[in-house]
């Protein structure tokens, strides 16, 4: 009687699909470049902040200014969205007065550099308004910067709104009017809900641009990120570390904003497919 025959071993598959390849080159190729940049930038920032007392001190000094920058960007963009919608509806009006006023606003504001508008509103318009009305809050640096950026961006958003509304087929308006809706109700319940999916992505892109242009408010002494970085540099003469951190904080904010814009684009596209 010979030795016992070992039981047959199950044959191992040389490679099971989907196992051991959680992060393939194809996955990296499909990942957006800005997501990788965000990841790398975040890791570098984390290592820099944790490993260097100078960067840690710089970050601690600049962190409150990030909040001011975000508050300024959101406030100015909210004002710009309201002004842009009013100007867009004025341009689409058949009445000559709102049409002329809206066109005048858009053409004048788009023809002047944003920095010049900001300085003019901060040092000419708001002081005059404050003297005439007695409203001291108009002299606040934050209010002046919000008005300057909001009025400037409102003209550009007006063109985005107008293009989005005009992209809706005219038959939609005629159908709504045939059901007895007034022009305002047709715009509110039929046209705007469809146009909002068209204009959301460009509105998101302009918000990212607003985040960057909020640095212009440093010329009127708003204590946002750029202004605070300049103060720290003048105090410590550490230009390399200071402006590295300022640039990195702006990059993180804008990349996160871009991530939100891509989410809006996917949501808008999904709505069209449905």
């Amino acid at each position: 009687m010979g030795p016992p025959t070992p039981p047959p071993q199950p044959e191992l598959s040389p490679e099971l699909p989907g196992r051991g390849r959680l992060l393939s080159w194809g996955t990296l190729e499909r990942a957006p470049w800005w997501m990788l940049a965000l990841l790398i930038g975040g890791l570098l920032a984390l290592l820099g902040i944790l490993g260097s007392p100078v960067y840690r001190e710089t970050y601690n000094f600049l962190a409150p200014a990030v909040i001011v920058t975000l508050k300024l960007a959101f406030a100015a963009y909210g004002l710009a969205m309201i002004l842009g919608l009013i100007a867009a509806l004025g341009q689409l009006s058949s009445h000559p007065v709102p049409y002329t006023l809206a066109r005048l606003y858009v053409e004048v504001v788009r023809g002047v550099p944003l920095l010049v508008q900001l300085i003019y509103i901060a040092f000419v318009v708001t002081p005059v308004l404050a003297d005439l009305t007695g409203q001291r809050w108009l002299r606040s640096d934050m209010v002046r910067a919000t008005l300057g950026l909001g009025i400037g961006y409102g003209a550009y958003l007006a063109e985005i709104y107008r293009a989005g509304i005009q992209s809706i087929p005219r038959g939609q308006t005629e159908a709504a009017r045939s059901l007895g809706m007034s022009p305002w109700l047709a715009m509110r319940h039929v046209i705007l809900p469809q146009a909002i999916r068209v204009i959301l992505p460009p509105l998101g892109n302009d918000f990212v641009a607003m985040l960057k242009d909020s640095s212009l408010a440093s010329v009127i002494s708003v204590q946002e990120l750029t202004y605070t970085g300049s103060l720290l540099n003048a105090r410590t003469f550490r230009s390399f570390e200071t402006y590295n951190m300022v640039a990195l904080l702006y990059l993180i904010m804008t990349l996160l904003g871009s991530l939100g814009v891509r989410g809006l684009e996917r949501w808008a596209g999904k709505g069209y497919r449905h």
Side-chain angles (χ1 to χ4, degrees), residues 168-186:
I168 306 302
R170 189 172 180 79
Q172 297 284 329
T173 304
E174 294 172 351
R177 296 300 304 277
S178 67
L179 293 175
M181 291 186 180
S182 65
W184 166 242
L185 284 179

Side-chain angles (χ1 to χ4, degrees), residues 84-85 87-89 91-92 99 103 106 110 156-168 199:
L85 181 59
L89 295 177
Q91 292 184 92
L92 295 172
Y99 174 80
R103 289 303 304 171
V106 171
R110 292 179 66 191
Y156 294 95
L157 296 193
E159 293 299 276
I160 294 176
Y161 280 122
R162 183 177 62 82
I165 292 172
Q166 288 182 329
S167 70
I168 306 302
I199 63 180

Side-chain angles (χ1 to χ4, degrees), residues 4 54 87 108 135 141 145 158 164 183 192 227-228 245 260:
V54 174
V108 169
Q135 301 295 324
D141 293 336
L192 284 180
Y227 181 83
T228 308
M245 185 58 69

